[in-house]
Amino acid sequence: VEEYSQNFIIGNFTKLIRLLGFILSLYFLPLSYIFSTSSYFTSLNIENTSSIPLSFQFLIGVFVIELFRNAIIHTPNSLSLALSIVVGFILGEVSLSLGIFMKDVLIVLSIFTISSFSVPSYELSLSCRVLSIILLIVSILFSLPGFIISVLVLFVHLTRLKVLSYPYLYPLVPLNFKELKNKLTRRKKEK
């Protein structure tokens, strides 16, 4: 709603940030793993300075973040902010000093977590997180080809879905450029 109650520029900026957050919350985690480990991107390989394999660092990190997110939900509001700050700093510092996680992995997990909070719908954010974790597991098992195939399977599945006999991905599939433009940008109000 605030996208349409704000100024034209601010409304479009908000839409752009939310769209970027949605894309990052879905694809950033598996793509970061692929870019850091795959032989397809040799110049981007990250040297693992931890004793734990990179795949387990990603999986353990996602598990801890989801565990922490659930703990925060069930914590009284007066304590949740303080708890989140203290636990975040403690987990970050301790995991780095013990060599459990690399700094790069913590940065990737932080961007993934922040981007999932930028998705305005809780249900869509939850779906993005679950799908991102599934894509991460497929990427760990099958690298880039597995990621590409799973993204295509997901896209085909979404194109076949209908909500109240309305295509789920409309106006992208079937393509209606005018409606897609209206969904992605806000038109300036005429005076």
Side-chain angles (χ1 to χ4, degrees), residues 125-138:
S125 173
L126 183 62
S127 297
C128 284
R129 287 195 316 266
V130 169
L131 286 172
S132 184
I133 293 168
I134 291 170
L135 290 173
L136 173 65
I137 293 169
V138 169

Side-chain angles (χ1 to χ4, degrees), residues 82-178:
L83 178 69
S84 62
I85 292 171
V86 170
V87 171
F89 280 128
I90 290 173
L91 281 177
E93 278 300 312
V94 170
S95 65
L96 282 175
S97 63
L98 292 176
I100 298 172
F101 294 114
M102 296 180 341
K103 290 178 186 175
D104 301 332
V105 172
L106 289 178
I107 291 170
V108 166
L109 292 171
S110 299
I111 293 171
F112 165 70
T113 304
I114 291 168
S115 64
S116 70
F117 282 123
S118 71
V119 178
S121 165
Y122 174 75
E123 291 81 10
L124 183 59
S125 173
L126 183 62
S127 297
C128 284
R129 287 195 316 266
V130 169
L131 286 172
S132 184
I133 293 168
I134 291 170
L135 290 173
L136 173 65
I137 293 169
V138 169
S139 299
I140 289 170
L141 296 175
F142 304 108
S143 191
L144 185 61
F147 173 79
I148 292 171
I149 290 170
S150 58
V151 167
L152 289 174
V153 167
L154 175 64
F155 183 75
V156 168
H157 173 68
L158 291 176
T159 59
R160 305 186 100 217
L161 285 179
K162 291 188 185 267
V163 178
L164 300 173
S165 66
Y166 207 91
Y168 185 74
L169 290 182
Y170 181 81
L172 184 63
V173 175
L175 182 62
N176 183 336
F177 186 72
K178 184 179 177 185

Side-chain angles (χ1 to χ4, degrees), residues 8-64:
F8 169 75
I9 295 171
I10 302 298
N12 277 325
F13 179 71
T14 305
K15 276 187 170 229
L16 178 67
I17 293 295
R18 287 187 176 159
L19 179 63
L20 182 63
F22 169 76
I23 292 169
L24 285 175
S25 70
L26 189 56
Y27 298 119
F28 186 72
L29 191 63
L31 283 176
S32 295
Y33 177 79
I34 289 171
F35 285 154
S36 60
T37 60
S38 178
S39 60
Y40 299 106
F41 307 100
T42 53
S43 62
L44 299 174
N45 279 347
I46 297 172
E47 184 181 339
N48 188 0
T49 57
S50 172
S51 59
I52 299 175
L54 199 57
S55 57
F56 286 121
Q57 288 182 48
F58 272 85
L59 292 173
I60 291 168
V62 168
F63 175 74
V64 168

